[in-house]
Amino acid sequence: MSYSIKLTKTEETRLVGIDFDTLPFGKTFSDHMFMADYIDGEWTNLEIKPFGNFSIHPACLALHYGQSIFEGMKASVDINGNPLLLRPEMHARRLNASARRMCMPDFPEDLFIQALHQLVDLDRGWIPPSKGSALYIRPYMFANDEFIGVQPGQTYKMIIFTGPVGPYYPKPVRLLVEEKYVRAVEGGVGEAKTAGNYAASLLPAKLAKQKGYDQVVWMDAHEFKYVQEVGTMNLFFVIDGKVVTPKPTGAILKGITRDGFMTILKDKGIPAEERDISIDEIVEAHKAGKLEEIFGAGTAAVVAHVADITYRDLTMDLPPIEDRKIGPMLKVEIDGLRAGTIEDTRGWIVPVKSPVNA
Ligand code: COI
């Protein structure tokens, strides 16, 4: 169905003077944002308006008990300047999977998609044309009740804003295998894209940075034996020509980039499997000279190459990026789909609709 979204355009764009070539990640925001309220069991007050502050009550439920979820996605332009989205319906679905786990209401998928099209179309001038850059899209929902009893909210806000971004990690990252703190455990909320998972990652990441690493490798919470994720990303290994990634069994985010990589690998006939991967297996593979690549996979970075990984007192160096095949190939594929230079045979690319041809 088609929803009526009230539109108030900015009086003056802030786009003038933005240098797309020197963009840091996440500090620049486009002209408009979408907002909606969940009140009395339905989504209402649908509007797109100038990006800006809004006020919330000091007792806002989400600030106290963390009923807050988000998505991260990107819009790009093809070589002819047409704006494109990549698999937006996957993000709509995952937002609702997170919502269900966090006891929050679903946001209608068709409204999510319509809001994305209208917002990105309106701010299409904010999509950086350069390779490796994109318009990052941040949909999020939080409980907005003015109440501090511990119970599911009855009112929620859904917001989508966007901002042009450059690369997330400018260089290959150095990893430390985390053996004290955990990110998630089966039965917890590790599969949900919820704010608290990211808060939980901050202290271990800060401690690792103080030791000279960029991020931690999260291990399983029972034995610290099996690898799970890296920083805020899914984790991939290439061992002796085969790609392996941990199987999501409740504690790992089901990444959409991760899913895309597995599909591309299968389509290309490259052996790739999801299974438990122990840190001992990684150490053995490194000793045998078979650990060819490690990379993180996420929307923000797409592929984050790993320079080295430290487990206890053993630092395992990975081959130089020029010698790697899989991670660079996957990045080229995603960038090519986003630029329209690689044919989309899977129906992943969705051209942004303008009201005139909606
Ligand atoms: C991603 O890899 O896309 C992330 O989840 C990072 C984001 C929270 C900035």
Side-chain angles (χ1 to χ4, degrees):
M1 81 185 241
S2 175
Y3 296 84
S4 168
I5 301 178
K6 182 182 164 203
L7 173 62
T8 312
K9 286 192 188 174
T10 184
E11 283 175 10
E12 200 174 350
T13 179
R14 290 177 285 102
L15 190 51
V16 186
I18 302 284
D19 180 2
F20 282 149
D21 293 328
T22 55
L23 285 171
F25 184 92
K27 290 194 172 168
T28 309
F29 304 100
S30 319
D31 281 332
H32 298 91
M33 63 185 185
F34 167 84
M35 288 183 103
D37 290 308
Y38 186 79
I39 301 170
D40 292 336
E42 60 182 69
W43 288 101
T44 182
N45 301 337
L46 314 180
E47 67 172 323
I48 290 177
K49 60 186 200 178
F51 180 87
N53 294 353
F54 56 92
S55 73
I56 50 171
H57 192 273
C60 171
L61 203 61
L63 295 183
H64 299 266
Y65 308 125
Q67 252 193 321
S68 181
I69 57 173
F70 69 95
E71 276 299 308
M73 46 195 302
K74 282 176 173 171
S76 55
V77 277
D78 68 14
I79 39 174
N80 301 314
N82 302 311
L84 309 171
L85 299 168
L86 182 68
R87 310 184 83 187
E89 73 296 341
M90 295 282 282
H91 291 274
R93 270 182 235 145
R94 190 174 63 178
L95 179 86
N96 285 335
S98 299
R100 282 172 210 148
R101 177 62 185 88
M102 302 309 291
C103 211
M104 298 164 79
D106 273 28
F107 191 76
E109 283 181 26
D110 54 353
L111 173 55
F112 181 91
I113 300 289
Q114 185 185 329
L116 278 179
H117 279 272
Q118 284 187 226
L119 186 64
V120 174
D121 179 44
L122 186 62
D123 282 340
R124 57 169 63 210
W126 286 85
I127 308 176
S130 41
K131 219 173 123 200
S133 299
L135 186 74
Y136 188 78
I137 304 171
R138 171 51 61 87
Y140 64 111
M141 188 204 293
F142 62 90
N144 195 30
D145 298 40
E146 299 166 4
F147 176 59
I148 51 164
V150 181
Q151 65 172 43
Q154 293 180 7
T155 58
Y156 293 85
K157 263 197 191 300
M158 173 79 194
I159 300 179
I160 309 176
F161 64 74
T162 71
V165 294
Y168 195 69
Y169 288 111
K171 60 179 178 51
V173 292
R174 308 194 60 208
L175 304 184
L176 177 65
V177 175
E178 175 58 56
E179 289 199 272
K180 177 175 179 187
Y181 298 102
V182 296
R183 174 188 170 274
V185 62
E186 286 80 3
V189 295
E191 241 180 41
K193 209 160 170 66
T194 187
N197 285 334
Y198 296 78
S201 76
L202 297 177
L203 176 65
K206 178 178 155 186
L207 297 174
K209 276 181 194 144
Q210 284 168 356
K211 293 182 198 154
Y213 303 98
D214 297 301
Q215 266 303 347
V216 298
V217 175
W218 300 109
M219 303 298 288
D220 79 273
H222 305 286
E223 300 175 88
F224 288 92
K225 184 171 174 190
Y226 298 101
V227 296
Q228 289 194 329
E229 289 196 24
V230 52
T232 61
M233 290 175 289
N234 292 121
L235 189 51
F236 281 76
F237 298 86
V238 183
I239 302 173
D240 201 15
K242 292 196 191 77
V243 183
V244 284
T245 187
K247 192 176 174 64
T249 55
I252 295 176
L253 185 81
K254 289 182 179 160
I256 294 164
T257 306
R258 173 192 185 282
D259 178 89
F261 285 180
M262 292 306 275
T263 305
I264 293 169
L265 291 164
K266 281 187 193 133
D267 288 352
K268 288 187 178 293
I270 297 169
E273 54 183 36
E274 294 181 348
R275 60 172 172 79
D276 291 342
I277 305 158
S278 72
I279 189 67
D280 293 342
E281 176 182 350
I282 302 304
V283 171
E284 287 312 311
H286 183 259
K287 267 195 210 149
K290 293 180 176 170
L291 184 58
E292 291 157 10
E293 296 182 38
I294 306 180
F295 53 91
T299 300
V302 186
V303 171
H305 296 294
V306 173
D308 57 63
I309 175 170
T310 297
Y311 176 53
R312 299 185 178 165
D313 53 7
L314 174 68
T315 294
M316 297 171 268
D317 288 314
L318 277 293
I321 309 300
E322 314 79 80
D323 294 351
R324 303 190 194 184
K325 293 194 175 65
I326 305 291
M329 177 278 287
L330 290 168
K331 175 120 179 46
V332 166
E333 286 283 321
I334 297 291
D335 285 347
L337 287 168
R338 283 218 174 98
T341 51
I342 291 181
E343 192 194 352
D344 172 31
T345 53
R346 307 177 189 95
W348 286 357
I349 293 294
V350 178
V352 171
K353 287 185 218 143
S354 294
V356 275
N357 58 22

